[in-house]
Amino acid sequence: MENIRELFQIMTRRFGFLNKNCCSAGGMDISLIQSHIIYEIDRLHKPSMQQVAEILGTDITTFSRQVQSLIKLSLVKKIPAPDDRRVSILTLTVEGKYVATTIDEQMKAYFNEIFSHMNDFEKETVIRSIKLLNDTMAKSSNCCTPPMR
């Protein structure tokens, strides 16, 4: 049987997940977690800080520090919710939207290049397999964190 951990280790390295910065946009280096935060704020319409932190499986303290760094970079705005001022709503600034779009275009080009080395059947098989793995991982009692033993 293949060493599954090794397969994931190699894939992690090839995706650049171990790099300090995952991408660059608008002359800024963006970390992997910042990229995920920007993506979720862009994908969801005016999410709360808690919503995005939960989606990313991050504790609110760590998440809050990352949001502050994005605010300092003028990529994200945090405003109190009109109906409950204790809740903070996140939105992208114009610069943040530009960074989100740039990263999205870079990722699409990257995946298109990767998939260009596969035929349609192989591409569909990979995509279907990733969906299956994601769905199955969501059912795991250890979802979002590797098991600690």
Side-chain angles (χ1 to χ4, degrees), residues 39-107:
Y39 175 82
E40 292 301 336
I41 294 171
D42 193 35
R43 186 177 71 84
L44 304 167
H45 185 66
K46 296 184 178 181
S48 70
M49 292 240 328
Q50 194 65 41
Q51 269 181 295
V52 180
E54 283 174 17
I55 286 169
L56 297 178
T58 324
D59 73 273
I60 196 71
T61 308
T62 304
F63 181 76
S64 197
R65 277 195 302 271
Q66 291 296 334
V67 168
Q68 280 307 122
S69 71
L70 290 168
I71 291 170
K72 284 182 185 159
L73 291 170
S74 300
L75 301 177
V76 169
K77 280 192 287 195
K78 181 173 86 170
I79 54 169
D83 53 334
D84 184 349
R85 305 198 54 80
R86 295 169 298 170
V87 175
S88 294
I89 300 297
L90 300 175
T91 58
L92 295 179
T93 63
V94 171
E95 296 91 340
K97 186 70 179 158
Y98 171 78
V99 167
T101 303
T102 302
I103 292 170
D104 193 48
E105 288 170 358
Q106 289 171 357
M107 292 306 296

Side-chain angles (χ1 to χ4, degrees), residues 112-124:
N112 285 338
E113 196 276 328
I114 290 170
F115 286 127
S116 73
H117 302 283
M118 297 180 194
N119 63 40
D120 287 344
F121 175 75
E122 291 168 330
K123 177 182 171 182
E124 288 303 315

Side-chain angles (χ1 to χ4, degrees), residues 120-138:
D120 287 344
F121 175 75
E122 291 168 330
K123 177 182 171 182
E124 288 303 315
T125 301
V126 169
I127 292 169
R128 199 170 40 258
S129 298
I130 291 170
K131 285 179 183 174
L132 176 63
L133 183 62
N134 278 336
D135 292 345
T136 307
M137 287 173 77

Side-chain angles (χ1 to χ4, degrees), residues 16-23 29-35 66:
F17 293 153
L18 301 180
N19 300 348
K20 183 177 184 284
N21 296 311
C22 75
C23 30
D29 288 330
I30 306 296
S31 72
L32 185 61
I33 185 66
Q34 289 172 331
S35 169
Q66 291 296 334

